[in-house]
Amino acid sequence: MNKKTRWYRFLEMLPGLIAWFFILFPLWGAFVIPKLVAYFALAFATYWLWQSFKTATLAIIGYFKIKAAKNTNWLEKFNQDFRARWLPYRDIHHVIIISSYKEPNDVIEMAVGSLAAQVDIDLKKLHVILAQEARAGKENNQKTIDYFSTKYKGTFGHLIFTEHPSNLPGETAGKHTNEAWAAKYFKKKYIDSGRYQLKNLTLTSCDVDTLFHPKYFSCLTYNFARNHQRYYRFWQAPIIWHRNINQVPALIRIVGIIGNVGHIAGVQELDGLFFNYSCYSSSYYLIDSAGYWDPDVISEDWHIFLQTFFANQGRVAVEPIFLPAVVDAPSGETTWIALRNRYKQCVRQAWGCTDIPYALEQARLHREIPFITRYLRVFKIMESYFIWASNWFLLTLGSSLPVLLNPHFFATTLGFNLPRIVRLILTICLIPLICLIIVDWQLRPADLKGGWRTVLKNLIQWPFLPVATFFLSVLPGLESQTRLMLGGRLEYWTTPKKA
């Protein structure tokens, strides 16, 4: 696929053009077509009401599914439920790639230690690849190798260290190229040599601060073995910012809580059109079928789904594993540094808007996939990024600008009632918001809920919700789409992490 054509450049501009059109629509529309602006504002507020109650309902359902998954002995369940068409337990192995760039050993220890703490599974079935970057320096990388090869000697099936070379032609630096290098290395040395069968392996991508639930890989074994579509599946656990949630500034904690529960709801989307993100597992066969992660795409998680989806006739889907993976919320030495780190992290995540032109072009090319199947995926991506960059403006300004800027429209019945109706709808949205807050609180470990000060600061922060969502979610999302629209590019940036 040629990304240097004028057509592809237009597709890159599309997300930003759509976002800015609707953001500015209440401004110019207030003078030209105020009634249409009003009906659009009412429609969007109603959509937001539906999404809010849907998210709260799915989050509550997800809470009970998480409780059930935590209480399940997955090895025992495997033996009880085993059928002839399943993969045998003895044949299944898991490859885990932990991508690292200059992170200290105590941070990397978080992911490796959580793998060593897995239960109801033979740890020899886990093959851990600590994927490092040559640009981090020989001395830095050797210290990591010495520490982990000594501490975890004999713990896993294999503990492998790879070093991704710098400045390879056609590559951009980042997690995507690092883990692609590591996955190809494992395939060449351990699969192509006949030591392991490609179709018996899962492949998990994670960050250095990922804390897997102790039962994650026993549950993954169960799901991989039983699913007859196993070679066309990703598995996704909800990602939760719980480890340091009480130590970060309130604005970060707010977006973290909304994100935590949103992830739990997201993996249960009623349309089934959710994507893998951040830390996820798949069959090794699936990633291999797509040629591994594209070397020039920084936001690799949704993109690897799209790669595999279009490479396999649209048969690929994501299934949930209700055992949350805990990661760190962005932090820093000062409040300002922490907020800056969160903003930059969100800009990088929102750079996934580059998947929109990719998906549109691939959908046009892959006509062997049913029209509805491919364009529903495209719609889901476009909807997600549109809402990300514009929701705050549409909810706050969509109903107020037409009546403030156009006195004649304000004098009409629709103009007079518009702000009041939207305000009522958003007030009703407080009900599902309270549900989300309670679900997140219930999922926190007991040591994160103790003390009146903790309770108090988790209560008094919520009036700052509009500020938090604007500066730490909507604005960075809009920046990424605008930068892409204007032809800018983004370099990979690693969020600083602390143990």
Side-chain angles (χ1 to χ4, degrees):
M1 184 176 68
N2 187 0
K3 296 182 180 181
K4 298 186 182 297
T5 64
R6 291 183 179 180
W7 170 247
Y8 198 85
R9 180 71 194 101
F10 169 74
L11 295 181
E12 287 183 327
M13 296 171 64
L14 204 55
L17 290 173
I18 293 173
W20 278 109
F21 173 83
F22 281 102
I23 288 171
L24 297 175
F25 178 50
L27 180 63
W28 61 266
F31 300 101
V32 183
I33 42 175
K35 283 188 177 181
L36 186 58
V37 174
Y39 288 126
F40 177 77
L42 288 170
F44 190 81
T46 304
Y47 166 85
W48 195 258
L49 180 69
W50 153 249
Q51 288 290 343
S52 298
F53 274 92
K54 182 187 74 171
T55 299
T57 302
L58 292 177
I60 294 169
I61 294 171
Y63 168 77
F64 289 104
K65 289 182 177 180
I66 289 171
K67 299 282 284 185
K70 288 181 177 180
N71 292 328
T72 300
N73 183 317
W74 292 97
L75 178 58
E76 184 178 287
K77 185 172 176 59
F78 185 105
N79 293 327
Q80 291 174 348
D81 297 349
F82 184 78
R83 299 291 184 271
R85 65 177 179 82
W86 290 28
L87 278 182
Y89 177 84
R90 65 178 180 275
D91 292 342
I92 299 173
H93 290 260
H94 306 284
V95 180
I96 303 99
I97 300 176
I98 305 171
S99 298
S100 172
Y101 174 63
K102 288 187 176 181
E103 279 92 359
N105 290 339
D106 55 352
V107 174
I108 303 172
E109 175 72 37
M110 295 164 65
V112 179
S114 73
L115 294 173
Q118 294 295 301
V119 299
D120 301 331
I121 190 172
D122 180 0
L123 293 183
K124 298 299 182 182
K125 289 181 169 292
L126 305 186
H127 308 278
V128 181
I129 306 176
L130 188 46
Q132 302 183 98
E133 294 279 4
R135 58 196 171 97
K138 288 288 184 184
E139 182 179 354
N140 175 86
N141 291 347
Q142 191 58 50
K143 286 181 180 178
T144 300
I145 293 171
D146 292 342
Y147 175 85
F148 286 99
S149 60
T150 300
K151 181 170 182 178
Y152 290 99
K153 182 180 181 180
T155 301
F156 305 109
H158 293 92
L159 180 56
I160 301 163
F161 301 89
T162 59
E163 188 173 89
H164 173 232
S166 303
N167 302 317
L168 291 178
E171 288 193 353
T172 56
K175 178 183 176 182
H176 56 301
T177 46
N178 191 3
E179 60 189 355
W181 179 270
K184 291 174 183 178
Y185 173 86
F186 187 90
K187 182 174 186 291
K188 181 178 180 180
K189 186 169 182 179
Y190 294 94
I191 299 174
D192 293 345
S193 64
R195 297 178 69 175
Y196 299 101
Q197 296 298 312
L198 181 66
K199 290 193 171 184
N200 291 341
L201 296 169
T202 72
L203 183 58
T204 296
S205 168
C206 71
D207 295 325
V208 293
D209 62 334
T210 304
L211 295 174
F212 289 98
H213 189 276
K215 294 185 177 182
Y216 178 83
F217 283 95
S218 60
C219 182
L220 178 60
T221 302
Y222 178 89
N223 282 279
F224 181 62
R226 71 188 290 268
N227 195 323
H228 69 283
Q229 292 290 327
R230 65 181 72 90
Y231 302 121
Y232 304 102
R233 291 293 179 268
F234 286 88
W235 287 272
Q236 181 67 58
I239 309 296
I240 293 182
W241 293 2
H242 270 175
R243 200 184 74 91
N244 64 338
I245 194 71
N246 288 327
Q247 282 73 54
V248 298
L251 297 184
I252 296 177
R253 187 163 53 249
I254 289 169
V255 296
I257 291 170
I258 299 299
N260 290 346
V261 190
H263 290 163
I264 295 171
V267 298
Q268 305 172 82
E269 274 288 354
L270 301 178
D271 54 20
L273 297 177
F274 57 94
F275 294 85
N276 53 289
Y277 54 89
S278 185
C279 172
Y280 51 90
S281 301
S282 68
S283 68
Y284 212 120
Y285 172 87
L286 182 61
I287 304 299
D288 182 70
S289 71
Y292 301 90
W293 293 266
D294 273 347
D296 62 343
V297 179
I298 289 176
S299 298
E300 95 297 339
D301 41 15
W302 283 28
H303 191 78
I304 190 61
F305 176 90
L306 293 172
Q307 286 179 249
T308 58
F309 179 83
F310 289 111
N312 291 280
Q313 295 79 50
R315 291 181 287 178
V316 179
V318 184
E319 297 188 356
I321 288 182
F322 290 98
L323 293 168
V326 177
V327 300
D328 271 2
S331 60
E333 298 301 324
T334 66
T335 298
W336 173 251
I337 292 175
L339 293 173
R340 184 191 65 185
N341 288 342
R342 164 55 192 169
Y343 185 93
K344 292 175 70 175
Q345 179 197 55
C346 194
V347 169
R348 187 196 72 213
Q349 292 168 341
W351 191 246
C353 61
T354 56
D355 285 334
I356 293 175
Y358 177 85
L360 284 166
E361 183 64 0
Q362 289 285 8
R364 182 182 70 85
L365 295 173
H366 287 273
R367 297 184 180 182
E368 76 280 5
I369 302 173
F371 182 90
I372 295 297
T373 300
R374 52 194 155 111
Y375 280 102
L376 276 177
R377 284 291 177 182
V378 172
F379 171 78
K380 190 67 176 181
I381 297 172
M382 296 188 71
E383 177 195 32
S384 299
Y385 283 101
F386 167 70
I387 298 300
W388 188 340
S390 62
N391 72 81
W392 192 94
F393 297 96
L394 298 178
L395 291 172
T396 57
L397 303 179
S399 62
S400 58
L401 285 182
V403 298
L404 289 174
L405 299 177
N406 190 333
H408 297 290
F409 178 65
F410 179 65
T412 66
T413 302
L414 177 60
F416 180 79
N417 288 308
L418 175 62
R420 291 162 176 77
I421 297 172
V422 172
R423 194 179 306 123
L424 174 62
I425 292 173
L426 294 182
T427 301
I428 296 173
C429 287
L430 291 175
I431 298 172
L433 174 62
I434 292 170
C435 293
L436 298 183
I437 295 169
I438 293 172
V439 169
D440 178 81
W441 185 261
Q442 289 297 110
L443 285 172
R444 294 192 195 183
D447 61 325
L448 294 181
K449 297 190 287 187
W452 66 268
R453 290 182 180 177
T454 298
V455 175
L456 182 62
K457 72 180 181 181
N458 275 273
L459 286 175
I460 64 175
Q461 66 191 7
W462 290 104
F464 297 98
L465 174 63
V467 178
T469 53
F470 178 75
F471 285 105
L472 299 181
S473 180
V474 174
L475 193 59
L478 183 60
E479 179 185 329
S480 285
Q481 294 187 29
T482 304
R483 185 182 297 191
L484 181 63
M485 179 182 69
L486 298 177
R489 289 295 178 260
L490 189 74
E491 292 185 4
Y492 189 84
W493 178 81
T494 303
T495 307
K497 300 176 177 70
K498 296 191 298 184

